[in-house]
Amino acid sequence: MTNRKPLIAGNWKMNNTVSEAVVLAQEISNGFEKDWAELVDVCVCPPSVDLKAVRGVFLFDHTKVAVGAQNVYFEPKGAFTGEISVDMLVEIGCEYCIIGHSERRELFGETNEGVNLKAKALIAGHVKPIVCVGESLAVRDEGTYLDFVRAQVRAAFAGIGAAEAADAVVAYEPIWAIGTGRTATPEQAEEVCAAIRATLAELFGEEVAEGMRVLYGGSMNEGNAALLLAMPDIDGGLIGGASLKAVSFLDIVKAAL
Ligand SMILES: O=C(CO)COP(=O)(O)O
């Protein structure tokens, strides 16, 4: 981290019914100290059916924890059964939306082109995309991971201008580190996050790239967060498993202060 404000985002994935989500949000709210918000942006991304209730908890408590969605569709409305539009997220008060998560790419056929359309739709609706990129173990072992991730970044931002991209977030999540307990070392994560920032600089210029946040995700927890967050191009974390326990999540937030 440098002078960029860190962002700690929890990706709850497909966990927590509405009532469970409210309990977890309340625990996070109770433990969140008001002055932290000056130093770190915090966001949780529950399942879409939980968003309104979770947002309600933080609003009621005046806790500066934002909410984000885990997915969105790029069309504004219409016959797209099962999908959710940017406007729907905006009305609920979503500030962020994860797109291109590797689980969506692998299990639900999300493509670079689809991620790009979603990024454009979110930016147009003033919701900050959290664009996930990251290589499989096979690509890492081949040694082509930097090219692979850089290509994902270029594809996600194709046709998007510097001014529009400035508030977007990129999350580097090596697939081999997700849910495996095998975290990338701070040096491994920094190498790729620096390459992502260099790619953003090619696309949008140095100044915009220096202001954009690049997160690391993949088995990040309260034990390893501080070392990862100390790296110059890692501006926060996208946390899966450890975001489902308030104490762990809040400890990661503290590591970013
Ligand atoms: O996929 C992730 C966040 O989006 C990371 O998940 P874990 O923290 O459970 O490895």
Side-chain angles (χ1 to χ4, degrees):
M1 288 183 290
T2 55
N3 54 355
R4 291 175 288 272
K5 191 174 185 188
L7 170 64
I8 301 296
N11 175 7
W12 292 4
K13 306 192 179 183
M14 197 176 75
N15 294 291
N16 294 324
T17 64
V18 177
S19 53
E20 291 165 343
V22 166
V23 171
L24 178 54
Q26 193 65 65
E27 288 170 358
I28 292 170
S29 184
N30 292 346
F32 191 90
E33 310 229 351
K34 294 241 173 304
D35 53 351
W36 293 352
E38 306 279 314
L39 300 169
V40 58
D41 287 335
V42 180
C43 160
V44 296
C45 302
S48 51
V49 292
D50 299 344
L51 278 168
K52 193 166 190 283
V54 168
R55 166 91 170 137
V57 170
F58 297 133
L59 273 182
F60 185 82
D61 286 357
H62 303 284
T63 301
K64 290 218 168 72
V65 173
V67 296
Q70 298 176 16
N71 187 26
V72 69
Y73 196 55
F74 63 88
E75 292 283 4
K77 60 164 72 172
F80 304 104
T81 301
E83 296 298 321
I84 291 170
S85 72
V86 173
D87 279 355
M88 294 172 191
L89 301 182
V90 168
E91 192 177 286
I92 289 177
C94 279
E95 197 175 322
Y96 298 89
C97 180
I98 297 169
I99 53 174
H101 193 281
S102 60
E103 287 152 15
R104 295 215 57 85
R105 293 180 193 257
E106 283 194 336
L107 302 171
F108 303 103
E110 190 152 323
T111 61
N112 277 336
E113 293 71 29
V115 173
N116 177 240
L117 291 168
K118 291 176 181 190
K120 287 175 175 160
L122 288 165
I123 290 168
H126 306 287
V127 179
K128 300 179 186 80
I130 301 177
V131 178
C132 298
V133 295
E135 81 286 357
S136 64
L137 191 55
V139 171
R140 168 134 307 241
D141 287 344
E142 269 168 26
T144 53
Y145 54 95
L146 291 179
D147 287 343
F148 181 89
V149 169
R150 293 179 79 132
Q152 283 184 319
V153 172
R154 282 192 206 98
F157 288 101
I160 296 174
E164 299 152 312
D167 282 339
V169 178
V170 180
Y172 170 54
E173 299 207 305
I175 296 170
W176 46 271
I178 296 178
T180 58
R182 180 182 162 193
T183 322
T185 64
E187 293 73 23
Q188 285 174 320
E190 168 62 20
E191 181 192 27
V192 183
C193 290
I196 290 170
R197 195 175 311 285
T199 309
L200 296 172
E202 282 165 22
L203 293 171
F204 307 125
E206 286 287 337
E207 200 181 322
V208 169
E210 281 302 312
M212 289 176 72
R213 291 181 291 194
V214 180
L215 314 182
Y216 167 78
S219 299
M220 196 172 190
N221 58 40
E222 59 275 42
N224 58 32
L227 286 177
L228 287 158
L229 295 171
M231 303 309 281
D233 286 291
I234 301 180
D235 309 314
L238 183 54
I239 295 109
S243 74
L244 297 172
K245 280 185 267 152
V247 174
S248 303
F249 186 62
L250 291 167
D251 277 349
I252 297 171
V253 172
K254 278 188 234 169
L257 293 174

